[in-house]
Amino acid sequence: MLTGKQKRFLRGLGHALNPVITVGKADISESLTRETDEALAHHELIKVKILESCLMDRHDVAEELAAACGADVAQVLGRTFLLYRPAKEPKITLPRGK
């Protein structure tokens, strides 16, 4: 679970990122989960774009995809959200909690 300070830090890093994953009409499928899992393993922090054709609520999509990949939702803003999962050899050093 991320603290508020860690989420703010990740939002700052994620601002310049381009979306790596796109959620469309098929909503959350096994292949989308696998692709997201691979992207998180490689990048640690990814931006996901939700298309207009997706019928699910944006917060539900973010939570469901994060749960399926074992990640944390750092931000939901409009139709994009940030997912974070530390790698085995982390590249991103989060600020410490309390």
Side-chain angles (χ1 to χ4, degrees):
M1 190 73 185
L2 296 171
T3 65
K5 189 175 189 177
Q6 292 169 335
K7 285 182 181 183
R8 280 191 301 279
F9 177 76
L10 291 172
R11 284 195 304 256
L13 292 177
H15 180 72
L17 295 177
N18 291 322
V20 177
I21 304 293
T22 305
V23 180
K25 194 178 222 175
D27 294 330
I28 297 174
S29 62
E30 185 180 324
S31 61
L32 178 74
T33 304
R34 194 174 333 108
E35 188 177 334
T36 304
D37 194 47
E38 290 172 7
L40 282 166
H42 188 261
H43 298 288
E44 284 186 276
L45 180 68
I46 62 169
K47 188 179 277 188
V48 181
K49 176 87 172 153
I50 304 171
L51 298 178
E52 293 288 330
S53 60
C54 182
L55 302 176
M56 293 177 67
D57 179 63
R58 59 196 173 116
H59 294 283
D60 293 341
V61 172
E63 290 299 326
E64 205 171 306
L65 197 54
C69 296
D72 288 308
V73 178
Q75 178 184 34
V76 177
L77 183 65
R79 298 189 76 62
T80 62
F81 59 93
L82 291 174
L83 290 180
Y84 171 76
R85 184 180 72 196
K88 291 180 180 167
E89 295 178 21
K91 299 172 197 159
I92 299 173
T93 305
L94 293 176
R96 297 182 75 161
K98 295 180 179 181

